[in-house]
Amino acid sequence: MQIIEKHVGRALVIHFDNPPVNALAVGGGLVQDIERRVARAQTDNSVESIILTGGSSVFSAGADIADFEGAPERIDAIRVLMQTVENSKKPVVAAIGGLCLGGGLELAVAAHYRVASSTAKFAFPEISLGLLPGGGGTQRSPRLAGAAKAIDLMLSGKAISAAEALEIGLIDRVADGDVLDFALAVAATGLAGLARKSGQLPVPADLADAIEEAEHRPRLTDAGQKIIDCVRAIADEDLEAGLKLEADHFGELMLSETSRALRHAFFGRRMVARIPGGTRAGSRPVSRVTVVGGGLMGTGIAIALLNADLAVTVVEPRPDALAKCRAGIDTSLRRDADKGRISSEVSERRLAALSVTQTLDEAVESDLYIEAVFEDMGAKRDVFEALDRVAPPDAILASNTSTLDLDAIAQFTARPASVVGLHFFSPANIMRLLEVVRGAKTAPETLASAMTFAKRIGKTGVVAGVCDGFIGNRVFEEYLRQAWFLLEEGASPQQVDRALEAFGMAMGPCRVMDLAGQDIGWNIRKRRAVEQPGRPYSKVPDLICELGRFGQKTGAGFYQYPDGRTPQIDPLVEDLIVAHSREIHLDRRVIADGEIVERCIFAMINEGAKLVGEGIAYRPVDVDIVYLDGYGFPASRGGPMFYADQIGLSRLLEKMQQFEGGHHGWAWEPAPLILDLAKKNQTFGDLNR
């Protein structure tokens, strides 16, 4: 962290540098140092103008989020900086290169003139953390860019280009060449008549209409509503009052459970990227990948790899499946181009990087091989024995298995140190999570390479140990177990789904399994019934499958799907469930939505604690990130383990003891880790490191 100050003619250049993202840190003193230098320049007769710059690649990515963990008043230092900049008697120019986000953009709009490189990007991403721009952004940006454009920036959190920022008036010039040289040239030619104090600009003409439109946006969060309230305050033409309202609202949001959960997820994604256990190893570069299996999962994986600009070979022995895979990839990439997500040139380049073949022997040698065949140990054996024969000696061999024993799979090769699990989540080209499974013999270099690869393809890699289901599916198993028991006891599929969706889950369990394919769960349950006879399931989902109802793909599962997508309640399913309850001599009862949520979510927490205690998940936050990025757990609740800390482990144990006295009470034996933490008055958060 440093500031370089230099005089260039009559201009004072203040260049601040806080790698890696040039965060405006209060705790480290950067914010206060910039403010002191701007203030000192006011009495320096050799200075006629001040230029603030953060370098060519990042002007500033915003405030240091670590500062948000203290008292709200800590952020006042940022507000003092913004006021000092705006109140400067000498023109202040922001020379913006690269990213200009959040607090960095607030600093830019507090300046009197803004020059940006053509590659600069601008955004107010605070809403993704349950916050609003707290350094004057809600008051100054609408006066510069108009209320509608500024509100959209703040509510969407999306970035805009320098050209777009210039068009809406957020910046004043786009530099031709080096942005600092351009800013110095502008300052040297004189800023009279150009420099403006944004906080003193008139009320935007579109304010009332923009507020009205924003109020009707769907899914408006508390942070979103407070952003609108702050912008509305501009109508009073009292900047000081508007800034105070903004600061008050920011403080309330900063202390809210939602923002704390979202910040936990932000830091958690950084934490899980660090390989636990002190593993230090170099990683092998991956530029070409072979995907073995051209089904739905293999196709999705191939698209994800091509979108990361990797060369990809898909191996699929069935001609019809291979043709379908190729067509699916082609359709996906061309659709992205048609919708403007990528250019047609990029689409064609990525398609040219794809090759397909029916045999591994015909595949081009690759750095990484990903097996994505049917979830059957015999099928896995065939693939890995073939890989052992054809793959280069230094290649990484990965399995996409979701439940099978990776250590057993590794034994199908003579090089188990090169074997790792890469469990993608469907659809693989969209879902953010990638479970990276470390086997007993997986080499540190192989694991490090897999984690680097995850980052390369834009996934959140989370390391997991070997067990049936790893982190995600092992926890999901207990979640589903309770959902199916609840059906037996008196709930309906739509009630279970409705209650959990109201809690915030992206989709209820019955709808999830209908979407994934009920036969997938059926096959797993049949295997586990043999391996784990002491942990029974309800037979309800099996009865559904016995009718050939496998979900959306067959037009019926727990629900009917007349149009192939939209679930419709099916009386036949309700009759089947009621008949099953009668057959097992279980009197159905009215079940409250609250019980549904507690039993399903608390079962998830209990199993997550067992995984952490066993070392399968290395930290509680690993479980949280798996569920946030792979299973639709509500981001506003921070993940199951974070949520457990919010409700309190003592309360959690009390409820679990109640459930232990009910139907299938054996499932509620508390994880030893929960008992230990509660006894010590500690939390799951205390174990994250």
Side-chain angles (χ1 to χ4, degrees):
M1 184 183 301
Q2 64 173 343
I3 294 181
I4 299 173
E5 184 179 297
K6 64 179 180 179
H7 292 261
V8 181
R10 304 284 288 175
L12 175 67
V13 177
I14 300 174
H15 178 186
F16 52 97
D17 185 22
N18 183 18
V21 296
N22 221 359
L24 295 173
V26 173
L30 180 68
V31 166
Q32 298 90 323
D33 198 358
I34 298 172
E35 193 276 332
R36 280 193 297 268
R37 292 168 189 266
V38 174
R40 190 170 61 222
Q42 305 305 305
T43 58
D44 187 341
N45 293 330
S46 69
V47 174
E48 287 185 354
S49 60
I50 302 165
I51 297 177
L52 300 175
T53 187
S56 60
S57 60
V58 183
F59 176 74
S60 172
D64 186 344
I65 297 174
D67 288 331
F68 298 164
E69 300 308 307
E73 294 75 21
R74 187 176 193 179
I75 309 302
D76 286 345
I78 293 179
R79 301 183 181 107
V80 171
L81 168 62
M82 306 306 177
Q83 285 294 90
T84 299
V85 168
E86 182 165 72
N87 293 337
S88 172
K89 295 177 293 185
K90 301 176 180 183
V92 180
V93 180
I96 305 160
L99 295 178
C100 183
L101 313 178
L105 181 50
E106 290 183 289
L107 178 59
V109 299
H112 306 142
Y113 199 77
R114 286 149 293 279
V115 173
S117 65
S118 60
T119 57
K121 298 287 185 183
F122 302 85
F124 283 122
E126 288 87 349
I127 198 162
S128 67
L129 296 176
L131 298 169
L132 51 71
T138 68
Q139 301 303 295
R140 296 187 178 101
S141 62
R143 287 175 159 97
L144 280 169
K149 298 294 186 182
I151 289 174
D152 185 62
L153 274 174
M154 290 184 277
L155 293 184
S156 71
K158 294 180 180 177
I160 61 172
S161 67
E164 292 172 291
L166 179 65
E167 182 180 354
I168 66 176
L170 195 64
I171 61 175
D172 298 291
R173 299 282 295 275
V174 174
D176 181 13
D178 182 81
V179 68
L180 179 56
D181 289 344
F182 193 89
L184 285 166
V186 170
T189 57
L191 289 163
L194 296 177
R196 301 170 295 164
K197 294 186 176 182
S198 55
Q200 295 179 10
L201 293 175
V203 173
D206 67 338
L207 182 64
D209 289 343
I211 293 292
E212 173 71 18
E213 182 180 348
E215 291 278 15
H216 290 90
R217 286 201 177 206
R219 297 181 295 278
L220 199 61
T221 63
D222 189 27
Q225 185 60 62
K226 283 182 164 57
I227 287 170
I228 295 170
D229 292 344
C230 289
V231 176
R232 181 185 288 111
I234 295 174
D236 295 333
E237 300 187 65
D238 186 339
L239 178 63
E240 185 176 347
L243 291 172
K244 183 180 185 308
L245 177 66
E246 179 191 86
D248 289 344
H249 279 346
F250 185 91
E252 293 166 10
L253 291 170
M254 191 174 124
L255 296 175
S256 70
E257 185 174 318
T258 294
S259 181
R260 290 173 59 236
L262 293 170
R263 298 195 313 263
H264 167 75
F266 176 86
F267 286 116
R269 291 187 181 99
R270 290 184 174 182
M271 192 176 296
V272 301
R274 301 196 300 268
I275 299 175
T279 299
R280 296 289 181 270
S283 60
R284 308 173 204 168
V286 172
S287 59
R288 174 172 286 280
V289 184
T290 291
V291 179
V292 184
L296 185 64
M297 180 59 78
T299 300
I301 292 172
I303 293 169
L305 303 180
L306 291 166
N307 285 341
D309 292 316
L310 292 166
V312 178
T313 300
V314 176
V315 178
E316 170 54 62
R318 300 167 297 169
D320 55 340
L322 187 61
K324 185 177 180 181
C325 171
R326 180 66 188 257
I329 294 170
D330 187 278
T331 298
S332 177
L333 293 180
R334 295 192 189 283
R335 182 172 57 239
D336 284 347
D338 292 342
K339 293 189 175 182
R341 297 173 185 146
I342 57 175
S343 67
S344 57
E345 292 78 14
V346 169
S347 175
E348 292 301 326
R349 185 181 74 240
R350 290 174 177 172
L351 284 169
L354 171 69
S355 61
V356 299
T357 180
Q358 289 182 252
T359 70
L360 261 173
D361 291 300
E362 296 173 348
V364 179
E365 286 192 352
S366 294
D367 309 303
L368 167 65
Y369 292 78
I370 302 175
E371 166 272 307
V373 300
F374 186 67
E375 192 75 341
D376 173 79
M377 193 61 88
K380 308 291 188 188
R381 175 192 287 271
D382 291 344
V383 171
F384 274 85
E385 287 179 347
L387 289 177
D388 206 30
R389 176 173 52 82
V390 304
D394 59 348
I396 300 166
L397 310 182
S399 174
N400 180 57
T401 181
S402 58
T403 59
L404 298 178
D405 186 342
L406 184 76
D407 290 332
I409 292 172
Q411 293 307 309
F412 300 148
T413 78
R415 38 177 151 169
S418 297
V419 176
V420 68
L422 290 178
H423 178 208
F424 287 81
F425 287 72
S426 188
N429 55 309
I430 295 173
M431 296 298 287
R432 190 173 183 176
L433 178 65
L434 180 61
E435 277 187 314
V436 178
V437 184
R438 172 160 61 183
K441 295 185 178 179
T442 302
E445 183 187 24
T446 302
L447 184 66
S449 300
M451 290 295 283
T452 301
F453 167 75
K455 185 176 181 180
R456 166 75 190 273
I457 64 172
K459 303 294 185 186
T460 304
V462 180
V463 176
V466 175
C467 71
D468 193 343
F470 313 124
I471 295 174
N473 281 338
R474 180 167 147 184
V475 170
F476 197 57
E477 177 184 5
E478 298 309 314
Y479 173 79
L480 290 179
R481 193 188 309 277
Q482 289 302 315
W484 307 153
F485 286 160
L486 285 158
L487 296 180
E488 286 184 343
E489 295 171 47
S492 65
Q494 58 269 24
Q495 185 194 4
V496 170
D497 284 350
R498 184 179 64 243
L500 287 159
E501 288 166 13
F503 172 77
M505 297 297 290
M507 192 179 290
C510 300
R511 290 182 59 205
V512 164
M513 295 312 296
D514 272 2
L515 179 63
Q518 292 289 348
D519 52 328
I520 295 173
W522 194 23
N523 289 328
I524 293 171
R525 286 191 300 275
K526 284 187 281 190
R527 173 174 63 81
R528 285 178 174 158
V530 175
E531 298 171 354
Q532 303 174 17
R535 297 184 68 80
Y537 293 88
S538 162
K539 291 184 178 178
V540 168
D542 293 353
L543 295 174
I544 298 289
C545 290
E546 287 169 7
L547 296 176
R549 300 170 65 109
F550 296 149
Q552 286 191 26
K553 62 187 176 184
T554 59
F558 276 107
Y559 301 94
Q560 290 185 32
Y561 297 89
D563 62 0
R565 296 187 63 181
T566 308
Q568 301 289 335
I569 295 172
D570 190 344
L572 181 150
V573 169
E574 295 197 29
D575 291 345
L576 179 150
I577 293 171
V578 170
H580 176 66
S581 299
R582 188 183 309 117
E583 183 180 335
I584 61 175
H585 308 293
L586 190 60
D587 292 332
R588 294 178 66 80
R589 60 186 175 86
V590 174
I591 299 176
D593 287 359
E595 180 183 342
I596 293 171
V597 170
E598 287 181 338
R599 282 176 54 180
C600 291
I601 301 301
F602 290 3
M604 185 183 288
I605 294 166
N606 195 39
E607 197 65 21
K610 291 177 182 178
L611 284 166
V612 175
E614 295 167 16
I616 302 298
Y618 294 91
R619 298 153 294 217
V621 71
D622 292 39
V623 180
D624 285 338
I625 299 304
V626 165
Y627 265 78
L628 290 170
D629 287 1
Y631 289 83
F633 197 91
S636 62
R637 298 188 188 273
M641 314 313 282
F642 181 87
Y643 179 66
D645 282 346
Q646 305 318 298
I647 62 178
L649 298 188
S650 295
R651 181 190 163 199
L652 175 69
L653 282 171
E654 181 182 334
K655 293 298 296 187
M656 288 173 63
Q657 286 167 359
Q658 291 179 21
F659 297 147
E660 202 169 1
H663 184 54
H664 285 302
W666 57 267
W668 291 103
E669 179 182 358
L673 181 60
I674 296 178
L675 295 170
D676 185 54
L677 290 174
K679 182 179 179 181
K680 295 176 180 176
N681 198 28
Q682 292 181 322
T683 67
F684 288 120
D686 293 329
L687 303 181
N688 291 325
R689 56 197 183 279

